[in-house]
């Protein structure tokens, strides 16, 4: 899950203790609270929001979102690398089947629905090509883990691992984490890890509704292994660098069908 508001879930408590939680209930993940139309629900409409322009333009937003998805797939080296890695793993992506632009809760920008093996790009919050690219990269890492690493979405440690990997490979560049207060110029390595842990925690809590303590325990248990797993990109992507085209150029060395 790609979380828009990183503060969501803070302060929520779960009655289950952190020491013995492995399986979690994710039945509400794709409900009407986050993705209204995922399971046959309907978007709650407000005449006031329609009047001020906050609703009523869903068809236009969907068209823009789909155009941005198409541009990312055609132009972005990192998205093309992920598509090649997925294809080589036996999980080729058909954008008409496996990627869907939808209206979401404003607190999220995207998600991966393992039941349908489908990425959701939130057309109302993932605005612009760069935002859509970030959502696609994040959710394609989850898709890759589900396909290649046999991700069990009901196992909190599996979920913690894939969220660590998605944050590590796709989000926590130094500059972005510095601007968000997760990094400093002192001990850059440690502050990068703190950024990864923070983002993984927010996504884990949003997806499972577990407490902060349970999320922290799950992340700490798998962190070292999952933080060091850079497959299939092979490097951490830095903002305003050549990392994305370099990763794409090296993809054939790993046998990816590019």
């Amino acid at each position: 899950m790609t979380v828009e508001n990183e503060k969501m879930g803070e302060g929520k408590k779960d009655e289950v203790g952190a020491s013995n939680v492995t399986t979690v209930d994710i039945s509400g993940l794709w409900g009407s609270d986050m993705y209204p139309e995922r399971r046959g629900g309907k978007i709650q409409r407000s005449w006031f929001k329609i009047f001020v322009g906050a609703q009523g333009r869903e068809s236009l937003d969907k068209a823009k979102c789909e155009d941005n998805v198409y541009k990312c797939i055609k132009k972005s080296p990192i998205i093309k690398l992920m598509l090649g890695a997925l294809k080589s793993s036996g999980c080729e992506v058909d954008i008409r089947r496996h990627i869907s632009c939808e209206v979401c809760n404003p607190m999220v920008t995207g998600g991966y629905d393992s039941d349908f093996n489908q990425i959701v790009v939130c057309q109302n919050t993932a605005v612009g090509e760069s935002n859509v690219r970030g959502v696609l990269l994040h959710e394609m890492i989850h898709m890759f883990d589900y396909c290649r690493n046999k991700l069990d979405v009901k196992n909190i440690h599996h979920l913690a691992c894939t969220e660590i990997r998605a944050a590590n490979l796709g989000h926590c560049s130094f500059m972005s984490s510095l601007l968000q207060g997760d990094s400093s110029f002192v001990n850059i390595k440690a502050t990068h890890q703190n950024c990864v842990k923070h983002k993984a925690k927010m996504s884990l809590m949003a997806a499972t509704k577990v407490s902060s303590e349970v999320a922290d325990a799950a992340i700490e248990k798998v962190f070292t292994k999952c933080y060091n797993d850079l497959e299939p990109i092979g490097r951490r992507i830095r903002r305003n660098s050549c990392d994305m085209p370099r990763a794409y150029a090296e993809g054939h060395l790993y046998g990816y069908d590019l």
Side-chain angles (χ1 to χ4, degrees), residues 67-116:
D67 182 57
N68 284 326
V69 169
Y70 182 78
K71 288 178 180 176
C72 289
I73 286 173
K74 288 297 182 182
K75 299 192 309 182
S76 172
I78 199 66
I79 299 304
K80 290 193 286 186
L81 172 65
M82 289 302 303
L83 291 171
L86 283 160
K87 183 178 180 180
S88 298
S89 301
C91 300
E92 185 173 2
V93 174
D94 180 341
I95 63 173
R96 296 167 297 181
R97 159 66 180 83
H98 295 112
I99 302 175
S100 176
C101 289
E102 299 180 12
V103 177
C104 309
N105 184 299
M107 302 190 83
V108 294
T109 55
Y112 172 62
D113 188 342
S114 60
D115 287 347
F116 291 100

Side-chain angles (χ1 to χ4, degrees), residues 73 78-83 86 93 95 99 112 119 133-146 165 232:
I73 286 173
I78 199 66
I79 299 304
K80 290 193 286 186
L81 172 65
M82 289 302 303
L83 291 171
L86 283 160
V93 174
I95 63 173
I99 302 175
Y112 172 62
I119 291 169
R133 182 178 64 244
V135 170
L136 289 175
L137 174 58
H138 185 111
E139 306 306 336
M140 281 181 177
I141 292 170
H142 294 333
M143 181 181 277
F144 180 87
D145 286 345
Y146 187 77
R165 283 178 24 80

Side-chain angles (χ1 to χ4, degrees), residues 82-215:
M82 289 302 303
L83 291 171
L86 283 160
K87 183 178 180 180
S88 298
S89 301
C91 300
E92 185 173 2
V93 174
D94 180 341
I95 63 173
R96 296 167 297 181
R97 159 66 180 83
H98 295 112
I99 302 175
S100 176
C101 289
E102 299 180 12
V103 177
C104 309
N105 184 299
M107 302 190 83
V108 294
T109 55
Y112 172 62
D113 188 342
S114 60
D115 287 347
F116 291 100
N117 190 28
Q118 192 171 52
I119 291 169
V120 176
V121 181
C122 298
Q123 63 192 48
N124 54 316
T125 53
V127 180
E129 187 176 337
S130 62
N131 288 337
V132 170
R133 182 178 64 244
V135 170
L136 289 175
L137 174 58
H138 185 111
E139 306 306 336
M140 281 181 177
I141 292 170
H142 294 333
M143 181 181 277
F144 180 87
D145 286 345
Y146 187 77
C147 169
R148 181 77 171 266
N149 299 327
K150 308 305 178 186
L151 170 69
D152 179 359
V153 296
K154 293 185 178 181
N155 185 311
I156 193 169
H157 297 115
H158 285 207
L159 289 174
C161 187
T162 193
E163 293 297 354
I164 289 167
R165 283 178 24 80
N168 186 28
L169 294 172
H171 290 292
C172 282
S173 68
F174 176 72
M175 285 307 299
S176 63
S177 58
L178 178 67
L179 293 173
Q180 293 165 6
D182 293 317
S183 292
S184 72
F185 289 103
V186 179
N187 198 350
I188 293 175
K189 180 180 179 180
T191 52
H192 179 268
Q193 293 180 357
N194 290 338
C195 173
V196 171
K197 289 179 180 180
H198 176 71
K199 286 184 175 294
K201 177 181 177 180
M202 293 301 101
S203 294
L204 187 60
M205 290 174 65
T208 63
K209 295 182 173 61
V210 296
S211 70
S212 176
E213 293 80 4
V214 171

Side-chain angles (χ1 to χ4, degrees), residues 31-43 103-105:
S32 59
D33 56 338
M34 290 292 180
Y35 308 91
E37 298 178 311
R38 277 273 95 188
R39 297 293 186 269
K42 293 184 178 180
I43 301 170
V103 177
C104 309
N105 184 299

Side-chain angles (χ1 to χ4, degrees), residues 215-232:
D216 282 334
I219 289 168
E220 289 297 335
K221 184 173 183 177
V222 301
F223 185 79
T224 300
K225 179 180 180 180
C226 301
Y227 182 76
N228 291 324
D229 182 0
L230 304 180
E231 193 178 6

